[in-house]
mmCIF file of all heavy atoms in Angstrom:
data_model
loop_
_atom_site.group_PDB
_atom_site.id
_atom_site.type_symbol
_atom_site.label_atom_id
_atom_site.label_comp_id
_atom_site.label_asym_id
_atom_site.label_seq_id
_atom_site.Cartn_x
_atom_site.Cartn_y
_atom_site.Cartn_z
ATOM 1 N N GLY A 231 -1.015 -2.698 -47.410
ATOM 2 C CA GLY A 231 -1.303 -4.088 -47.045
ATOM 3 C C GLY A 231 -2.025 -4.225 -45.724
ATOM 4 O O GLY A 231 -3.005 -4.968 -45.616
ATOM 5 N N VAL A 232 -1.579 -3.508 -44.706
ATOM 6 C CA VAL A 232 -2.212 -3.608 -43.386
ATOM 7 C C VAL A 232 -3.631 -3.038 -43.427
ATOM 8 O O VAL A 232 -4.572 -3.649 -42.911
ATOM 9 C CB VAL A 232 -1.352 -2.891 -42.326
ATOM 10 C CG1 VAL A 232 -2.103 -2.730 -41.013
ATOM 11 C CG2 VAL A 232 -0.054 -3.660 -42.105
ATOM 12 N N THR A 233 -3.787 -1.877 -44.051
ATOM 13 C CA THR A 233 -5.107 -1.252 -44.123
ATOM 14 C C THR A 233 -6.065 -2.114 -44.938
ATOM 15 O O THR A 233 -7.224 -2.315 -44.552
ATOM 16 C CB THR A 233 -4.993 0.163 -44.729
ATOM 17 O OG1 THR A 233 -4.014 0.889 -43.989
ATOM 18 C CG2 THR A 233 -6.315 0.894 -44.678
ATOM 19 N N THR A 234 -5.582 -2.654 -46.042
ATOM 20 C CA THR A 234 -6.410 -3.520 -46.876
ATOM 21 C C THR A 234 -6.775 -4.795 -46.136
ATOM 22 O O THR A 234 -7.897 -5.295 -46.258
ATOM 23 C CB THR A 234 -5.685 -3.844 -48.199
ATOM 24 O OG1 THR A 234 -5.426 -2.613 -48.879
ATOM 25 C CG2 THR A 234 -6.511 -4.747 -49.089
ATOM 26 N N PHE A 235 -5.850 -5.330 -45.350
ATOM 27 C CA PHE A 235 -6.136 -6.531 -44.579
ATOM 28 C C PHE A 235 -7.296 -6.291 -43.613
ATOM 29 O O PHE A 235 -8.207 -7.113 -43.508
ATOM 30 C CB PHE A 235 -4.893 -6.998 -43.811
ATOM 31 C CG PHE A 235 -5.111 -8.303 -43.095
ATOM 32 C CD1 PHE A 235 -4.892 -9.503 -43.759
ATOM 33 C CD2 PHE A 235 -5.548 -8.336 -41.779
ATOM 34 C CE1 PHE A 235 -5.120 -10.716 -43.117
ATOM 35 C CE2 PHE A 235 -5.772 -9.539 -41.136
ATOM 36 C CZ PHE A 235 -5.554 -10.727 -41.805
ATOM 37 N N LEU A 236 -7.275 -5.159 -42.922
ATOM 38 C CA LEU A 236 -8.354 -4.865 -41.967
ATOM 39 C C LEU A 236 -9.701 -4.718 -42.662
ATOM 40 O O LEU A 236 -10.701 -5.292 -42.226
ATOM 41 C CB LEU A 236 -8.031 -3.602 -41.168
ATOM 42 C CG LEU A 236 -6.912 -3.754 -40.151
ATOM 43 C CD1 LEU A 236 -6.565 -2.403 -39.544
ATOM 44 C CD2 LEU A 236 -7.283 -4.760 -39.079
ATOM 45 N N LEU A 237 -9.728 -3.940 -43.736
ATOM 46 C CA LEU A 237 -10.990 -3.752 -44.459
ATOM 47 C C LEU A 237 -11.465 -5.070 -45.063
ATOM 48 O O LEU A 237 -12.644 -5.422 -44.969
ATOM 49 C CB LEU A 237 -10.832 -2.700 -45.562
ATOM 50 C CG LEU A 237 -12.076 -2.445 -46.407
ATOM 51 C CD1 LEU A 237 -13.251 -2.001 -45.552
ATOM 52 C CD2 LEU A 237 -11.768 -1.418 -47.488
ATOM 53 N N SER A 238 -10.562 -5.817 -45.663
ATOM 54 C CA SER A 238 -10.939 -7.073 -46.313
ATOM 55 C C SER A 238 -11.378 -8.125 -45.304
ATOM 56 O O SER A 238 -12.269 -8.924 -45.591
ATOM 57 C CB SER A 238 -9.771 -7.603 -47.160
ATOM 58 O OG SER A 238 -9.501 -6.700 -48.212
ATOM 59 N N SER A 239 -10.773 -8.121 -44.112
ATOM 60 C CA SER A 239 -11.199 -9.083 -43.089
ATOM 61 C C SER A 239 -12.643 -8.801 -42.682
ATOM 62 O O SER A 239 -13.409 -9.726 -42.420
ATOM 63 C CB SER A 239 -10.274 -9.044 -41.875
ATOM 64 O OG SER A 239 -10.431 -7.857 -41.136
ATOM 65 N N SER A 240 -13.006 -7.536 -42.665
ATOM 66 C CA SER A 240 -14.397 -7.180 -42.365
ATOM 67 C C SER A 240 -15.317 -7.626 -43.503
ATOM 68 O O SER A 240 -16.375 -8.205 -43.268
ATOM 69 C CB SER A 240 -14.516 -5.673 -42.154
ATOM 70 O OG SER A 240 -15.857 -5.321 -41.904
ATOM 71 N N ASN A 241 -14.902 -7.369 -44.745
ATOM 72 C CA ASN A 241 -15.708 -7.780 -45.903
ATOM 73 C C ASN A 241 -15.859 -9.296 -45.985
ATOM 74 O O ASN A 241 -16.898 -9.798 -46.401
ATOM 75 C CB ASN A 241 -15.108 -7.236 -47.198
ATOM 76 C CG ASN A 241 -15.296 -5.744 -47.336
ATOM 77 O OD1 ASN A 241 -16.248 -5.175 -46.832
ATOM 78 N ND2 ASN A 241 -14.364 -5.108 -48.026
ATOM 79 N N ALA A 242 -14.809 -10.023 -45.591
ATOM 80 C CA ALA A 242 -14.859 -11.490 -45.607
ATOM 81 C C ALA A 242 -15.576 -12.040 -44.383
ATOM 82 O O ALA A 242 -15.758 -13.237 -44.251
ATOM 83 C CB ALA A 242 -13.443 -12.067 -45.682
ATOM 84 N N ASN A 243 -15.962 -11.144 -43.473
ATOM 85 C CA ASN A 243 -16.671 -11.469 -42.240
ATOM 86 C C ASN A 243 -15.824 -12.307 -41.274
ATOM 87 O O ASN A 243 -16.340 -13.160 -40.557
ATOM 88 C CB ASN A 243 -18.017 -12.138 -42.516
ATOM 89 C CG ASN A 243 -18.960 -11.988 -41.334
ATOM 90 O OD1 ASN A 243 -18.841 -11.045 -40.563
ATOM 91 N ND2 ASN A 243 -19.873 -12.927 -41.187
ATOM 92 N N LEU A 244 -14.521 -12.039 -41.250
ATOM 93 C CA LEU A 244 -13.657 -12.659 -40.255
ATOM 94 C C LEU A 244 -13.848 -11.927 -38.939
ATOM 95 O O LEU A 244 -14.131 -10.728 -38.920
ATOM 96 C CB LEU A 244 -12.195 -12.555 -40.672
ATOM 97 C CG LEU A 244 -11.783 -13.307 -41.934
ATOM 98 C CD1 LEU A 244 -10.292 -13.113 -42.179
ATOM 99 C CD2 LEU A 244 -12.081 -14.787 -41.814
ATOM 100 N N TRP A 245 -13.683 -12.606 -37.847
ATOM 101 C CA TRP A 245 -13.771 -12.020 -36.508
ATOM 102 C C TRP A 245 -15.077 -11.254 -36.322
ATOM 103 O O TRP A 245 -15.115 -10.231 -35.652
ATOM 104 C CB TRP A 245 -12.582 -11.107 -36.220
ATOM 105 C CG TRP A 245 -11.276 -11.743 -36.529
ATOM 106 C CD1 TRP A 245 -10.806 -12.926 -36.046
ATOM 107 C CD2 TRP A 245 -10.285 -11.271 -37.426
ATOM 108 N NE1 TRP A 245 -9.575 -13.210 -36.582
ATOM 109 C CE2 TRP A 245 -9.225 -12.209 -37.433
ATOM 110 C CE3 TRP A 245 -10.164 -10.149 -38.230
ATOM 111 C CZ2 TRP A 245 -8.085 -12.059 -38.198
ATOM 112 C CZ3 TRP A 245 -9.017 -10.007 -38.992
ATOM 113 C CH2 TRP A 245 -8.003 -10.945 -38.976
ATOM 114 N N HIS A 246 -16.138 -11.722 -36.955
ATOM 115 C CA HIS A 246 -17.471 -11.118 -36.852
ATOM 116 C C HIS A 246 -17.471 -9.646 -37.250
ATOM 117 O O HIS A 246 -18.202 -8.837 -36.689
ATOM 118 C CB HIS A 246 -18.048 -11.307 -35.445
ATOM 119 C CG HIS A 246 -18.044 -12.733 -35.011
ATOM 120 N ND1 HIS A 246 -18.854 -13.697 -35.587
ATOM 121 C CD2 HIS A 246 -17.301 -13.384 -34.087
ATOM 122 C CE1 HIS A 246 -18.614 -14.866 -35.028
ATOM 123 N NE2 HIS A 246 -17.677 -14.704 -34.117
ATOM 124 N N GLY A 247 -16.587 -9.294 -38.192
ATOM 125 C CA GLY A 247 -16.583 -7.948 -38.756
ATOM 126 C C GLY A 247 -15.837 -6.897 -37.961
ATOM 127 O O GLY A 247 -15.859 -5.727 -38.331
ATOM 128 N N VAL A 248 -15.143 -7.259 -36.860
ATOM 129 C CA VAL A 248 -14.480 -6.235 -36.054
ATOM 130 C C VAL A 248 -13.329 -5.555 -36.782
ATOM 131 O O VAL A 248 -12.902 -4.469 -36.398
ATOM 132 C CB VAL A 248 -14.000 -6.768 -34.683
ATOM 133 C CG1 VAL A 248 -15.168 -7.218 -33.840
ATOM 134 C CG2 VAL A 248 -12.971 -7.857 -34.842
ATOM 135 N N GLY A 249 -12.824 -6.166 -37.842
ATOM 136 C CA GLY A 249 -11.779 -5.516 -38.637
ATOM 137 C C GLY A 249 -12.251 -4.198 -39.219
ATOM 138 O O GLY A 249 -11.467 -3.271 -39.418
ATOM 139 N N GLY A 250 -13.553 -4.093 -39.482
ATOM 140 C CA GLY A 250 -14.119 -2.862 -40.031
ATOM 141 C C GLY A 250 -13.994 -1.702 -39.067
ATOM 142 O O GLY A 250 -13.708 -0.570 -39.466
ATOM 143 N N ALA A 251 -14.184 -1.966 -37.781
ATOM 144 C CA ALA A 251 -14.062 -0.907 -36.778
ATOM 145 C C ALA A 251 -12.617 -0.445 -36.648
ATOM 146 O O ALA A 251 -12.341 0.754 -36.558
ATOM 147 C CB ALA A 251 -14.585 -1.396 -35.431
ATOM 148 N N SER A 252 -11.683 -1.380 -36.660
ATOM 149 C CA SER A 252 -10.275 -0.999 -36.548
ATOM 150 C C SER A 252 -9.751 -0.382 -37.847
ATOM 151 O O SER A 252 -8.753 0.326 -37.843
ATOM 152 C CB SER A 252 -9.426 -2.202 -36.135
ATOM 153 O OG SER A 252 -9.554 -3.243 -37.059
ATOM 154 N N PHE A 253 -10.461 -0.611 -38.933
ATOM 155 C CA PHE A 253 -10.077 -0.046 -40.225
ATOM 156 C C PHE A 253 -10.212 1.467 -40.254
ATOM 157 O O PHE A 253 -9.420 2.153 -40.903
ATOM 158 C CB PHE A 253 -10.947 -0.676 -41.330
ATOM 159 C CG PHE A 253 -10.955 0.097 -42.617
ATOM 160 C CD1 PHE A 253 -9.895 -0.002 -43.492
ATOM 161 C CD2 PHE A 253 -12.020 0.916 -42.949
ATOM 162 C CE1 PHE A 253 -9.886 0.708 -44.684
ATOM 163 C CE2 PHE A 253 -12.033 1.624 -44.136
ATOM 164 C CZ PHE A 253 -10.957 1.527 -45.007
ATOM 165 N N ILE A 254 -11.183 2.024 -39.540
ATOM 166 C CA ILE A 254 -11.507 3.446 -39.646
ATOM 167 C C ILE A 254 -10.290 4.333 -39.360
ATOM 168 O O ILE A 254 -9.916 5.159 -40.186
ATOM 169 C CB ILE A 254 -12.688 3.820 -38.714
ATOM 170 C CG1 ILE A 254 -13.944 3.014 -39.059
ATOM 171 C CG2 ILE A 254 -12.972 5.317 -38.754
ATOM 172 C CD1 ILE A 254 -14.488 3.255 -40.439
ATOM 173 N N GLY A 255 -9.667 4.190 -38.220
ATOM 174 C CA GLY A 255 -8.490 4.997 -37.903
ATOM 175 C C GLY A 255 -7.313 4.681 -38.798
ATOM 176 O O GLY A 255 -6.564 5.566 -39.227
ATOM 177 N N MET A 256 -7.149 3.404 -39.095
ATOM 178 C CA MET A 256 -6.046 2.975 -39.947
ATOM 179 C C MET A 256 -6.174 3.561 -41.347
ATOM 180 O O MET A 256 -5.179 3.921 -41.977
ATOM 181 C CB MET A 256 -6.018 1.445 -40.006
ATOM 182 C CG MET A 256 -4.724 0.868 -40.494
ATOM 183 S SD MET A 256 -3.346 1.019 -39.346
ATOM 184 C CE MET A 256 -3.770 -0.163 -38.109
ATOM 185 N N ALA A 257 -7.403 3.687 -41.836
ATOM 186 C CA ALA A 257 -7.630 4.222 -43.185
ATOM 187 C C ALA A 257 -7.137 5.656 -43.300
ATOM 188 O O ALA A 257 -6.555 6.046 -44.314
ATOM 189 C CB ALA A 257 -9.118 4.147 -43.543
ATOM 190 N N LEU A 258 -7.349 6.452 -42.270
ATOM 191 C CA LEU A 258 -6.937 7.850 -42.323
ATOM 192 C C LEU A 258 -5.429 8.003 -42.137
ATOM 193 O O LEU A 258 -4.769 8.664 -42.937
ATOM 194 C CB LEU A 258 -7.671 8.660 -41.252
ATOM 195 C CG LEU A 258 -7.295 10.144 -41.170
ATOM 196 C CD1 LEU A 258 -7.592 10.849 -42.479
ATOM 197 C CD2 LEU A 258 -8.036 10.808 -40.023
ATOM 198 N N PHE A 259 -4.891 7.356 -41.108
ATOM 199 C CA PHE A 259 -3.509 7.637 -40.743
ATOM 200 C C PHE A 259 -2.470 6.757 -41.432
ATOM 201 O O PHE A 259 -1.440 7.259 -41.869
ATOM 202 C CB PHE A 259 -3.350 7.547 -39.220
ATOM 203 C CG PHE A 259 -4.132 8.611 -38.518
ATOM 204 C CD1 PHE A 259 -5.300 8.294 -37.853
ATOM 205 C CD2 PHE A 259 -3.721 9.930 -38.562
ATOM 206 C CE1 PHE A 259 -6.036 9.285 -37.214
ATOM 207 C CE2 PHE A 259 -4.452 10.926 -37.933
ATOM 208 C CZ PHE A 259 -5.610 10.600 -37.250
ATOM 209 N N TYR A 260 -2.714 5.476 -41.537
ATOM 210 C CA TYR A 260 -1.698 4.589 -42.126
ATOM 211 C C TYR A 260 -1.947 4.414 -43.622
ATOM 212 O O TYR A 260 -1.095 4.755 -44.433
ATOM 213 C CB TYR A 260 -1.700 3.253 -41.385
ATOM 214 C CG TYR A 260 -0.444 2.418 -41.563
ATOM 215 C CD1 TYR A 260 0.806 2.991 -41.682
ATOM 216 C CD2 TYR A 260 -0.530 1.031 -41.581
ATOM 217 C CE1 TYR A 260 1.953 2.209 -41.826
ATOM 218 C CE2 TYR A 260 0.608 0.245 -41.703
ATOM 219 C CZ TYR A 260 1.846 0.838 -41.835
ATOM 220 O OH TYR A 260 2.969 0.058 -41.978
ATOM 221 N N GLY A 261 -3.112 3.917 -43.981
ATOM 222 C CA GLY A 261 -3.432 3.725 -45.397
ATOM 223 C C GLY A 261 -3.551 5.033 -46.151
ATOM 224 O O GLY A 261 -3.238 5.105 -47.336
ATOM 225 N N GLY A 262 -3.977 6.088 -45.480
ATOM 226 C CA GLY A 262 -4.130 7.377 -46.134
ATOM 227 C C GLY A 262 -2.870 8.215 -46.086
ATOM 228 O O GLY A 262 -2.179 8.404 -47.087
ATOM 229 N N ALA A 263 -2.541 8.727 -44.908
ATOM 230 C CA ALA A 263 -1.426 9.673 -44.765
ATOM 231 C C ALA A 263 -0.076 9.073 -45.147
ATOM 232 O O ALA A 263 0.720 9.720 -45.843
ATOM 233 C CB ALA A 263 -1.389 10.201 -43.335
ATOM 234 N N MET A 264 0.203 7.851 -44.717
ATOM 235 C CA MET A 264 1.513 7.262 -45.016
ATOM 236 C C MET A 264 1.662 6.949 -46.509
ATOM 237 O O MET A 264 2.752 7.075 -47.064
ATOM 238 C CB MET A 264 1.758 6.002 -44.188
ATOM 239 C CG MET A 264 2.007 6.284 -42.717
ATOM 240 S SD MET A 264 3.439 7.348 -42.417
ATOM 241 C CE MET A 264 2.669 8.921 -42.098
ATOM 242 N N GLU A 265 0.574 6.575 -47.162
ATOM 243 C CA GLU A 265 0.673 6.347 -48.607
ATOM 244 C C GLU A 265 0.849 7.668 -49.359
ATOM 245 O O GLU A 265 1.553 7.714 -50.370
ATOM 246 C CB GLU A 265 -0.543 5.575 -49.114
ATOM 247 C CG GLU A 265 -0.473 4.113 -48.737
ATOM 248 C CD GLU A 265 -1.457 3.274 -49.505
ATOM 249 O OE1 GLU A 265 -1.275 3.122 -50.721
ATOM 250 O OE2 GLU A 265 -2.411 2.788 -48.872
ATOM 251 N N ILE A 266 0.230 8.738 -48.881
ATOM 252 C CA ILE A 266 0.444 10.054 -49.497
ATOM 253 C C ILE A 266 1.908 10.452 -49.332
ATOM 254 O O ILE A 266 2.541 10.958 -50.268
ATOM 255 C CB ILE A 266 -0.499 11.118 -48.886
ATOM 256 C CG1 ILE A 266 -1.968 10.785 -49.189
ATOM 257 C CG2 ILE A 266 -0.121 12.520 -49.375
ATOM 258 C CD1 ILE A 266 -2.369 10.822 -50.647
ATOM 259 N N LEU A 267 2.470 10.222 -48.150
ATOM 260 C CA LEU A 267 3.890 10.504 -47.929
ATOM 261 C C LEU A 267 4.762 9.679 -48.877
ATOM 262 O O LEU A 267 5.708 10.205 -49.482
ATOM 263 C CB LEU A 267 4.266 10.220 -46.474
ATOM 264 C CG LEU A 267 5.735 10.423 -46.104
ATOM 265 C CD1 LEU A 267 6.146 11.872 -46.317
ATOM 266 C CD2 LEU A 267 5.964 9.996 -44.660
ATOM 267 N N ALA A 268 4.449 8.398 -49.014
ATOM 268 C CA ALA A 268 5.198 7.538 -49.938
ATOM 269 C C ALA A 268 5.063 8.045 -51.381
ATOM 270 O O ALA A 268 6.033 8.019 -52.147
ATOM 271 C CB ALA A 268 4.721 6.092 -49.834
ATOM 272 N N ALA A 269 3.889 8.532 -51.742
ATOM 273 C CA ALA A 269 3.678 9.073 -53.094
ATOM 274 C C ALA A 269 4.568 10.281 -53.341
ATOM 275 O O ALA A 269 5.184 10.400 -54.418
ATOM 276 C CB ALA A 269 2.207 9.454 -53.292
ATOM 277 N N ILE A 270 4.653 11.173 -52.373
ATOM 278 C CA ILE A 270 5.498 12.360 -52.519
ATOM 279 C C ILE A 270 6.958 11.948 -52.700
ATOM 280 O O ILE A 270 7.669 12.481 -53.554
ATOM 281 C CB ILE A 270 5.320 13.295 -51.299
ATOM 282 C CG1 ILE A 270 3.911 13.891 -51.308
ATOM 283 C CG2 ILE A 270 6.386 14.394 -51.291
ATOM 284 C CD1 ILE A 270 3.508 14.556 -50.003
ATOM 285 N N MET A 271 7.378 10.971 -51.917
ATOM 286 C CA MET A 271 8.760 10.488 -52.044
ATOM 287 C C MET A 271 8.998 9.823 -53.401
ATOM 288 O O MET A 271 10.064 9.969 -53.988
ATOM 289 C CB MET A 271 9.074 9.533 -50.895
ATOM 290 C CG MET A 271 9.128 10.250 -49.547
ATOM 291 S SD MET A 271 9.290 9.124 -48.148
ATOM 292 C CE MET A 271 10.906 8.430 -48.434
ATOM 293 N N GLU A 272 7.994 9.109 -53.910
ATOM 294 C CA GLU A 272 8.131 8.503 -55.245
ATOM 295 C C GLU A 272 8.246 9.584 -56.314
ATOM 296 O O GLU A 272 9.004 9.435 -57.271
ATOM 297 C CB GLU A 272 6.952 7.571 -55.538
ATOM 298 C CG GLU A 272 6.929 6.291 -54.728
ATOM 299 C CD GLU A 272 7.953 5.247 -55.167
ATOM 300 O OE1 GLU A 272 8.892 5.553 -55.938
ATOM 301 O OE2 GLU A 272 7.808 4.094 -54.721
ATOM 302 N N PHE A 273 7.492 10.683 -56.177
ATOM 303 C CA PHE A 273 7.632 11.804 -57.098
ATOM 304 C C PHE A 273 9.063 12.325 -57.078
ATOM 305 O O PHE A 273 9.657 12.589 -58.131
ATOM 306 C CB PHE A 273 6.670 12.949 -56.747
ATOM 307 C CG PHE A 273 5.315 12.827 -57.376
ATOM 308 C CD1 PHE A 273 4.190 12.702 -56.579
ATOM 309 C CD2 PHE A 273 5.141 12.853 -58.758
ATOM 310 C CE1 PHE A 273 2.924 12.597 -57.139
ATOM 311 C CE2 PHE A 273 3.886 12.745 -59.330
ATOM 312 C CZ PHE A 273 2.774 12.622 -58.519
#
């Protein structure tokens, strides 16, 4: 949800697109790594 919010805020052109810049790190560590961890736990 948080990672999608940042990317989508950039796509919707909120805050003049700055959500896209903050999305980059969040995509790797929170949206990426934490979801992989959650996937392993779901398995």
Side-chain angles (χ1 to χ4, degrees):
V232 168
T233 307
T234 300
F235 185 87
L236 289 173
L237 179 58
S238 296
S239 71
S240 178
N241 288 331
N243 202 26
L244 295 181
W245 311 305
H246 306 292
V248 297
S252 59
F253 162 79
I254 301 297
M256 197 71 73
L258 178 60
F259 295 106
Y260 199 35
M264 288 301 102
E265 285 194 68
I266 296 295
L267 178 62
I270 292 166
M271 292 173 66
E272 290 285 14
F273 272 118

